[in-house]
Amino acid sequence: MASGKEIRTQIASIKSTQKITSAMEMVAASKMRKAQERMAATRPYADKILNVIQHLAFANPEYRHPYLQDREEKQRVGYIVVSSDRGLCGGLNNNLFKEVLHEIKSKSDKGLQVDICAIGQKASAFFSRLPVNMVAQVTQLGDAPRVHELIGSIKVMLDAYESGQIDSLYLVYNQFVNTMTQEDKFIRLLPATPGEPSQEMSHHWDYIYEPDAKEVLDDLLVRYIESVVYQGVVENIASEQASRMIAMKNASDNAGDLIDDLQLVYNKARQAAITQEISEIVAGAAAV
Amino acid sequence: MAMTIHVDIVSAEESIYSGSVEAVIASAQEGEVGIYPRHAPLLTRLKAGEVRLLKDGKEEQFYISGGILEVQPHIVTILADTALRADDVNEAAALEAKAAAEKALNDKTAKMDFAEAQVQLAEAMAQLRAIERARKTRKH
């Protein structure tokens, strides 16, 4: 059995680990709340832009933007994979990557090749070790990413789509369901299907366009895709923090259990030592 | 009471303004536009510049770096860009993203990847554990 001193140092070291994990848990909780607020703040823009696109697509059926034209997946498929920059957030990233690998495999079974755009350090590290074609990446976005940090990598994928290099584009990220649950989500960005306009939008009226409908629609579509990707990134951050919070809570709980067990072992060792000492004294006294 | 029109200024990152005003003045691509209630539906691109909102004789100003203005008879929506956009700036950003990907792919030998290091650490730890176990069984 380990001596009393050894057990005491072990308990002390576990206690300091527990302090770190519970601090990380609290930090993650407050960051999660902020990320959730940011998530809510991005919604009006995307909703509005989608509304206008629906109306435009409906009002101008003769003009089909390449993003809106249906295309068959013939050769290549693009994926924008959103991950976190840091680890210690449970199985969040790995679960997502597993799903992506699954997708990639099912695509390559059909004879399709895959282009990856990695957002976040983890995705970049993961896909650079795989035999897939990583065409763009952006990392170190921090807790409050900005849209203009994403524009470059999104443009790479949009250009590839426009030139016919890829036939479709997907966005993959962790959807924030609630604090306990995050689900991997696949969204097809291109070709886009804006859907039918709502009732009030579909009346027979049209905008006055300046300069003209096509140019405005072009602008809107690019911004729409950027805003969807941005939303995905923000939502992934909320998921990351939630997942980290749970992971750190579990770690703190486990540390508590370990400390309890060790404390018991320590008490037993101490008691045994005292008993032994007393019996030695008694034996000594009896001998005299 | 003067007629008012509802204005929402939103960007991809946040909602900047929402409220009722008497008029909106913005610098559109084809020139400055003033929007009063019951304006005809209009969709136009905005240049970088200021958006002025008139309310109770006072004026509120916002600077936006471009965007899209959508007008419906009682609602005006400004979809503001979050940053100055120009084709060459976007092009540079795209090239940067590509270069970053290439760097990450080629950097494998020069700098050990963190993930790779983690795998090696886990392997080394497993080996140590095996050695320790072997030692213990020999002792008994």
Side-chain angles (χ1 to χ4, degrees):
Chain A
M1 198 182 278
S3 78
K5 187 150 185 283
E6 262 172 46
I7 300 173
R8 252 196 334 248
T9 38
Q10 213 174 347
I11 290 177
S13 104
I14 294 175
K15 268 187 183 157
S16 64
T17 308
Q18 192 186 29
K19 265 181 210 156
I20 296 170
T21 55
S22 63
M24 281 181 80
E25 180 193 334
M26 282 185 272
V27 170
S30 86
K31 278 188 178 169
M32 182 186 79
R33 219 160 297 134
K34 271 184 211 146
Q36 271 177 293
E37 280 165 21
R38 222 168 276 132
M39 240 166 78
T42 61
R43 235 161 241 156
Y45 182 83
D47 288 351
K48 193 73 211 173
I49 234 171
L50 183 63
N51 251 337
V52 178
I53 288 175
Q54 281 172 346
H55 180 88
L56 278 179
F58 188 77
N60 297 279
E62 78 285 353
Y63 175 63
R64 300 307 276 175
H65 191 276
Y67 292 174
L68 297 173
Q69 280 165 5
D70 244 345
R71 244 197 242 183
E72 224 177 303
E73 291 179 359
K74 282 184 206 142
Q75 288 182 321
R76 294 193 93 87
V77 185
Y79 286 94
I80 298 179
V81 182
V82 184
S83 76
S84 68
D85 276 330
R86 289 149 199 262
L88 290 183
C89 50
L92 188 79
N93 290 318
N94 285 329
N95 289 344
L96 189 73
F97 295 157
K98 235 178 264 168
E99 288 301 317
V100 175
L101 285 183
H102 212 69
E103 271 295 298
I104 292 177
K105 188 156 182 319
S106 76
K107 294 284 178 199
S108 62
D109 285 348
K110 287 185 212 156
L112 298 166
Q113 283 175 303
V114 172
D115 277 358
I116 298 275
C117 163
I119 298 179
Q121 192 71 51
K122 291 285 159 188
S124 162
F126 183 80
F127 288 105
S128 65
R129 280 178 297 138
L130 287 179
V132 295
N133 190 15
M134 191 164 79
V135 290
Q137 71 150 9
V138 53
T139 58
Q140 306 301 340
L141 293 171
D143 295 324
R146 307 294 310 270
V147 175
H148 65 84
E149 293 171 304
L150 298 170
I151 287 175
S153 48
I154 297 170
K155 189 174 160 55
V156 171
M157 299 311 268
L158 292 183
D159 285 351
Y161 183 81
E162 259 170 71
S163 67
Q165 224 175 336
I166 56 174
D167 300 316
S168 61
L169 179 62
Y170 293 84
L171 172 72
V172 190
Y173 66 96
N174 280 297
Q175 186 186 20
F176 182 90
V177 181
N178 56 44
T179 318
M180 298 299 290
T181 325
Q182 295 87 39
E183 279 170 2
D184 45 87
K185 182 149 195 191
F186 287 71
I187 294 180
R188 193 179 76 171
L189 293 175
L190 294 175
T193 39
E196 291 292 305
S198 58
Q199 206 67 52
E200 49 166 337
M201 294 289 282
S202 64
H203 283 308
H204 289 287
W205 56 271
D206 206 355
Y207 293 108
I208 305 167
Y209 299 102
E210 278 178 27
D212 64 38
K214 286 179 196 172
E215 281 182 49
V216 179
L217 188 55
D218 290 358
D219 263 24
L220 277 174
L221 279 169
V222 172
R223 279 170 181 65
Y224 174 64
I225 288 175
E226 282 167 6
S227 83
V228 172
V229 176
Y230 180 75
Q231 267 188 317
V233 171
V234 173
E235 194 154 344
N236 195 68
I237 287 173
S239 303
E240 175 198 347
Q241 299 298 351
S243 178
R244 177 169 299 133
M245 195 177 93
I246 302 297
M248 289 301 121
K249 187 173 163 33
N250 287 339
S252 306
D253 290 352
N254 288 344
D257 290 348
L258 263 182
I259 290 170
D260 287 349
D261 288 352
L262 281 173
Q263 194 70 48
L264 208 64
V265 173
Y266 172 72
N267 289 347
K268 273 187 189 156
R270 197 175 75 103
Q271 206 172 10
I274 292 169
T275 313
Q276 196 186 351
E277 217 170 298
I278 290 174
S279 68
E280 273 167 14
I281 293 168
V282 171
V288 175
Chain B
M1 201 184 109
M3 284 241 289
T4 57
I5 186 165
H6 188 82
V7 182
D8 286 313
I9 305 181
V10 290
S11 80
E13 287 166 12
E14 59 190 342
S15 173
I16 297 166
Y17 180 91
S18 177
S20 293
V21 301
E22 280 149 29
V24 183
I25 297 156
S27 47
Q29 200 180 19
E30 317 268 281
E32 194 156 275
V33 289
I35 312 286
Y36 286 81
R38 299 183 153 209
H39 193 285
L42 169 75
L43 199 60
T44 181
R45 276 201 280 206
L46 294 180
K47 289 189 296 189
E50 56 184 16
V51 174
R52 289 182 289 156
L53 305 176
L54 300 182
K55 192 180 182 182
D56 304 329
K58 278 179 276 178
E59 211 181 75
E60 235 181 300
Q61 292 187 343
F62 295 92
Y63 177 80
I64 60 165
S65 43
I68 301 212
L69 172 75
E70 188 225 7
V71 181
Q72 289 192 31
H74 295 286
I75 300 173
V76 174
T77 312
I78 294 174
L79 301 162
D81 286 343
T82 43
L84 217 51
R85 336 248 310 195
D87 279 342
D88 47 341
V89 175
N90 288 359
E91 198 65 52
L95 287 176
E96 205 175 298
K98 270 187 194 167
E102 274 157 27
K103 203 176 148 217
L105 287 172
N106 296 330
D107 226 16
K108 263 183 280 186
T109 45
K111 204 173 62 187
M112 197 164 27
D113 205 33
F114 184 67
E116 219 166 303
Q118 260 182 330
V119 171
Q120 287 188 7
L121 179 68
E123 270 171 19
M125 271 163 65
Q127 279 173 357
L128 277 176
R129 236 175 286 141
I131 291 169
E132 223 158 86
R133 217 174 296 136
R135 258 194 214 148
K136 266 186 197 161
T137 45
R138 212 176 299 154
K139 260 188 205 168
H140 289 299

